[in-house]
Amino acid sequence: MTSPQPTKRNGPLSGLRVLELMGLGPAPHCAMLLADLGAEVLRFERPEGNPFPNPIIDRGRHVVTVDLKNPDDRAFCLSTIEKVDVLIEGYRPGVM
């Protein structure tokens, strides 16, 4: 599994790398706003996909499918987390 090639973005947050773990609530909205301001946003999505796709809120990000129950995908996730500036997750306390 390889991560997508970064795209050059303009804006005050250009150069900021953000990782979003797919969820509901304010997390996708936050990622959309950061992408709109120029951040490079990567979303890790579950293998079954996004149950509530919204093309407006889902804009401006790369999507990679990751199965966190698979040891190789989990290692990829952990190595990616080390390379980003911001991690967004919208899980209940203790899940992450």
Side-chain angles (χ1 to χ4, degrees):
M1 175 179 306
T2 60
S3 57
Q5 294 297 321
T7 57
K8 204 68 163 151
R9 300 191 61 112
N10 294 324
L13 297 182
S14 180
L16 186 74
R17 293 171 302 197
V18 178
L19 175 62
E20 173 197 4
L21 298 178
M22 188 185 81
L24 299 174
H29 190 259
C30 177
M32 176 199 69
L33 292 174
L34 293 173
D36 287 349
L37 290 170
E40 178 188 343
V41 179
L42 174 65
R43 172 189 274 177
F44 281 172
E45 199 167 88
R46 296 180 185 100
E48 52 275 359
N50 186 350
F52 304 103
N54 183 333
I56 295 172
I57 293 180
D58 293 341
R59 71 178 184 255
R61 55 177 67 90
H62 302 285
V63 178
V64 175
T65 301
V66 177
D67 181 5
L68 294 178
K69 294 179 182 177
N70 178 326
D72 293 334
D73 286 1
R74 191 174 0 194
F76 172 73
C77 182
L78 291 173
S79 69
T80 303
I81 288 172
E82 294 175 355
K83 299 173 188 166
V84 298
D85 302 308
V86 177
L87 174 66
I88 300 173
E89 55 88 14
Y91 305 128
R92 66 184 183 279
V95 171
M96 183 67 179

